[in-house]
Amino acid sequence: MTPRWLLSLAVTSFPFLACAKQACKCLSSQPCWPSSSDFSGLSSQLSQPLIRPTPPASACYPPSNPSGNCTDAITHLPDGPFRSNIPGAMQNINFESFTFDNGTIDACYYNFTLGVPCDQGNIPILGVDARTVADVQATVKFAAKHYLRLVVKNTGHDYLGRSMGRGGFMLWTHNLKNISYDGAFVPNGAPSGSQQYKALTIGAGVQWHDAYAAANDYGRLIVGGISVGGSVGAAGGWIQGGGHSILSSSHGLGVDNAVQFTLVLASGEYITANAYQNQDIFWALRGGGGGTYGVVISVTYQTYEVLPVTSISFFINFTSPAIAQNVTTEYFAMLPALSDAGWGGYTFFQGALVSINLASNDSLAQGNTTFSTFIDRTLAAVGNPALVTVQTQSFPSFYQAYQTYFSGTGEVGTTTELVSRLLSRKIAEEQPEKVAKVFLGLADGAQINFVAGGAVSKVNPDSAGLNPAWRESIGLLMSGISWDEGTTTAAINRLRQGAASDLEALDTVSADSGTYFNEASLYEKDFKKTFFGSHYARLKDIKRKYDEDDLFLVAEGVGSDDWDKSLNCRRD
């Protein structure tokens, strides 16, 4: 018997409402879906055969079960780079599943012992493995002609599930892997005598572990994202959402370091955008949200001199709520000054405070001095030196520090939904005890990405499409929820209610209730304000100029307010 996830390309059993052609996208479940001859015509224009994304766990179900591929799927579940090579895989597996309005979940669970059939879930059944600009152009024109729900996917490292879409047509950019370095890069169209950059240009499919290695090979430093295994894409949603980094307090966000984009528009036109040509879309691409304005082919980043890096990490166990409040108040009080000194880091709390902090402009001795007051007060508050561990280390480069802390596997392969808010610098300075109380009160642990302030706060808030609230913040406060496969929608919704309570608490210490588009909730009350702030109206005007028919559409992205929750049909 043919598994459900291998149903024909023409019509599947997805029970979507019938929609008028002009009002709704054409889905793979509907008669409007292109014919075999249509797809053959597209295929003849491509450098690679069409791909048929399947759930990664499908190898664990009949007729394949048991198979070597099943072992690989389970063994490599927490392996970001491995999973990013699979078109049907998301880094967070809940986004591979689809929930109908009645609460029924359609999925292919990795826990195949649950006895649930393997279904296609949220994964498109057909797509293009783009290897060239021409591949992207042909795909975009085809999707526009047939009014398809186009899903642009690279690595699947996406906390809002924007790179999947049930019934859609996938454009997989993961294999656009070109990397080049130019020690005297001048943006296209710049007048004679314009600033030159020591710049790295990376293709849409390049991931940060690739980009860091390449920059290091050229003896340079690049500002980029951090994840275990480095599976985040370096030229896609990360940069278009803003792109925070552990290096941001020293060198700014990703959007502050991007000097040029190349991209394919909804019309199929291939353009270059920078400060000298197509300036409006250059502005929008820097923080206005991924999957919205076109398909980015490459990004050119300025790079920096390699400097030694100092690392200070601490692990603090608390024996009472009062001690936890005391220590975390001290911690938040010192963050503004730390960011001004070029420090960045990641801090987690779940019964204990664990923090990794890096700076590229302090020696080890300077670092010890910077943190000495905090450590002394922590030891006095905790009362037992055995409960406080401090580790200091010096590295010749950021790349070596990155390899030490963030190589390996982990962080992916689970069900995860986040809630987050940018932490106001002003509130951290004036009311650190309030921030600490909120942080410690989050329902399922908490995290702060200490990735703003410093250089980030010195940039003109209107210089890019990024939410201006970033310029008033010192970091991103987050909490999240997770659940076991097979959990009912009702139970998941109860978890979401708890996450919503966390969000209300985070609002009280946030910079204008703003947050990071890439690490946030799918259930924002006012996503336009939260993700884009005062820039939303201008971003939407640019969206309409370049993509009037909304070929590019993602959850809570610019223009999505004109569509229903499914993003398949326009609102009345």
Side-chain angles (χ1 to χ4, degrees):
M1 179 178 177
T2 302
R4 300 185 191 185
W5 45 270
L6 283 181
L7 293 172
S8 70
L9 299 179
V11 179
T12 65
S13 58
F14 305 161
F16 285 105
L17 294 176
C19 300
K21 181 177 180 181
Q22 297 303 311
C24 299
K25 302 284 188 177
C26 178
L27 305 176
S28 58
S29 58
Q30 298 172 333
C32 59
W33 188 246
S35 67
S36 296
S37 61
D38 291 327
F39 283 117
S40 294
L42 171 63
S43 186
S44 68
Q45 303 174 55
L46 303 173
S47 65
Q48 304 293 316
L50 291 172
I51 57 173
R52 294 165 174 78
T54 56
S58 60
C60 301
Y61 292 78
S64 301
N65 184 33
S67 74
N69 289 339
C70 176
T71 300
D72 286 344
I74 304 304
T75 302
H76 292 288
L77 194 56
D79 186 339
F82 178 89
R83 292 182 58 75
S84 67
N85 289 322
I86 304 171
M90 293 291 281
Q91 302 289 293
N92 296 110
I93 60 177
N94 45 302
F95 295 114
E96 295 172 11
S97 300
F98 182 85
T99 303
F100 294 103
D101 289 341
N102 66 3
T104 302
I105 298 174
D106 187 277
C108 186
Y109 291 136
Y110 293 82
N111 183 1
F112 51 87
T113 65
L114 291 172
V116 178
C118 173
D119 288 316
Q120 189 74 11
N122 200 37
I123 303 167
I125 62 172
L126 194 64
V128 171
D129 176 6
R131 306 292 179 101
T132 67
V133 173
D135 287 344
V136 176
Q137 290 175 303
T139 305
V140 165
K141 290 178 180 178
F142 182 85
K145 176 182 177 181
H146 294 281
Y147 210 55
L148 304 182
R149 168 79 181 274
L150 183 63
V151 175
V152 182
K153 181 179 185 289
N154 176 15
T155 68
H157 199 114
D158 181 354
Y159 288 108
L160 284 86
R162 298 162 298 185
S163 52
M164 280 293 180
R166 183 179 177 88
F169 186 61
M170 179 182 291
L171 174 56
W172 194 39
T173 62
H174 183 62
N175 289 308
L176 292 167
K177 296 285 191 182
N178 292 338
I179 302 178
S180 63
Y181 177 75
D182 186 342
F185 179 83
V186 178
N188 290 14
S192 177
S194 294
Q195 180 179 354
Q196 296 182 347
Y197 300 90
K198 296 181 184 297
L200 196 71
T201 298
I202 56 181
V206 173
Q207 295 165 276
W208 278 117
H209 65 84
D210 305 313
Y212 287 140
N216 187 69
D217 289 343
Y218 288 111
R220 302 296 293 174
L221 169 71
I222 187 170
V223 175
I226 298 291
S227 64
V228 177
S231 64
V232 173
W238 180 84
I239 176 66
Q240 293 174 71
H244 70 59
S245 170
I246 201 169
L247 300 170
S248 289
S249 59
S250 294
H251 300 299
L253 298 164
V255 295
D256 303 325
N257 289 281
V259 296
Q260 183 165 287
F261 293 82
T262 63
L263 67 154
V264 173
L265 301 175
S267 64
E269 183 183 2
Y270 179 52
I271 68 168
T272 298
N274 55 41
Y276 306 99
Q277 55 189 46
N278 298 306
Q279 294 96 327
D280 53 357
I281 201 167
F282 179 61
W283 183 86
L285 288 170
R286 290 177 296 131
T292 300
Y293 308 97
V295 181
V296 169
I297 302 298
S298 71
V299 182
T300 300
Y301 291 99
Q302 64 175 322
T303 63
Y304 296 91
E305 178 186 357
V306 172
L307 295 172
V309 166
T310 294
S311 161
I312 295 183
S313 303
F314 46 86
F315 308 83
I316 307 167
N317 290 291
F318 301 120
T319 55
S320 75
I323 292 173
Q325 175 70 33
N326 185 326
V327 172
T328 52
T329 296
E330 292 283 350
Y331 171 74
F332 283 110
M334 75 174 176
L335 288 187
L338 282 181
S339 68
D340 290 342
W343 286 85
Y346 302 101
T347 301
F348 310 89
F349 174 78
Q350 197 159 17
L353 195 69
V354 180
S355 188
I356 300 171
N357 305 277
L358 297 179
S360 59
N361 58 353
D362 273 8
S363 67
L364 191 58
Q366 289 171 321
N368 284 327
T369 299
T370 298
F371 281 86
S372 61
T373 299
F374 171 72
I375 297 301
D376 288 345
R377 291 179 177 175
T378 296
L379 288 169
V382 173
N384 182 352
L387 298 178
V388 181
T389 301
V390 180
Q391 298 177 347
T392 60
Q393 194 168 356
S394 180
F395 299 92
S397 68
F398 164 76
Y399 186 60
Q400 290 203 11
Y402 167 79
Q403 289 183 305
T404 298
Y405 286 113
F406 300 105
S407 61
T409 61
E411 191 177 332
V412 305
T414 61
T415 58
T416 303
E417 287 184 7
L418 300 178
V419 294
S420 67
R421 283 292 183 267
L422 291 166
L423 172 60
S424 162
R425 177 186 180 119
K426 186 175 188 293
I427 294 177
E429 287 176 331
E430 298 178 357
Q431 303 179 67
E433 67 288 344
K434 179 179 180 179
V435 180
K437 185 176 181 179
V438 168
F439 183 71
L440 295 171
L442 296 176
D444 190 26
Q447 174 178 339
I448 176 169
N449 293 336
F450 174 36
V451 291
V456 176
S457 63
K458 298 175 183 178
V459 178
N460 180 348
D462 294 325
S463 64
L466 182 76
N467 189 336
W470 269 102
R471 308 304 178 183
E472 305 169 28
S473 306
I474 56 172
L476 184 71
L477 286 168
M478 298 192 299
S479 72
I481 58 173
S482 186
W483 58 90
D484 293 331
E485 288 185 312
T487 300
T488 65
T489 299
I492 295 170
N493 285 337
R494 286 193 290 272
L495 292 172
R496 288 172 178 154
Q497 291 172 3
S501 296
D502 280 357
L503 203 51
E504 290 181 5
L506 289 172
D507 263 329
T508 66
V509 296
S510 177
D512 198 29
S513 297
T515 197
Y516 181 39
F517 189 41
N518 292 334
E519 294 172 334
S521 170
L522 273 169
Y523 310 100
E524 291 288 349
K525 293 179 181 178
D526 185 358
F527 79 85
K528 292 183 283 188
K529 175 186 176 183
T530 299
F531 293 141
F532 309 107
S534 59
H535 289 160
Y536 187 80
R538 183 179 173 190
L539 288 166
K540 192 165 183 180
D541 286 343
I542 295 169
K543 165 74 169 171
R544 288 287 160 260
K545 175 181 175 181
Y546 290 97
D547 184 21
E548 183 178 4
D549 290 335
D550 286 331
L551 177 65
F552 304 111
L553 202 60
V554 298
E556 298 187 339
V558 172
S560 65
D561 49 321
D562 295 330
W563 293 74
D564 65 13
K565 182 180 178 182
S566 74
L567 298 183
N568 294 324
C569 293
R570 294 185 185 273
R571 297 185 187 277
D572 294 334

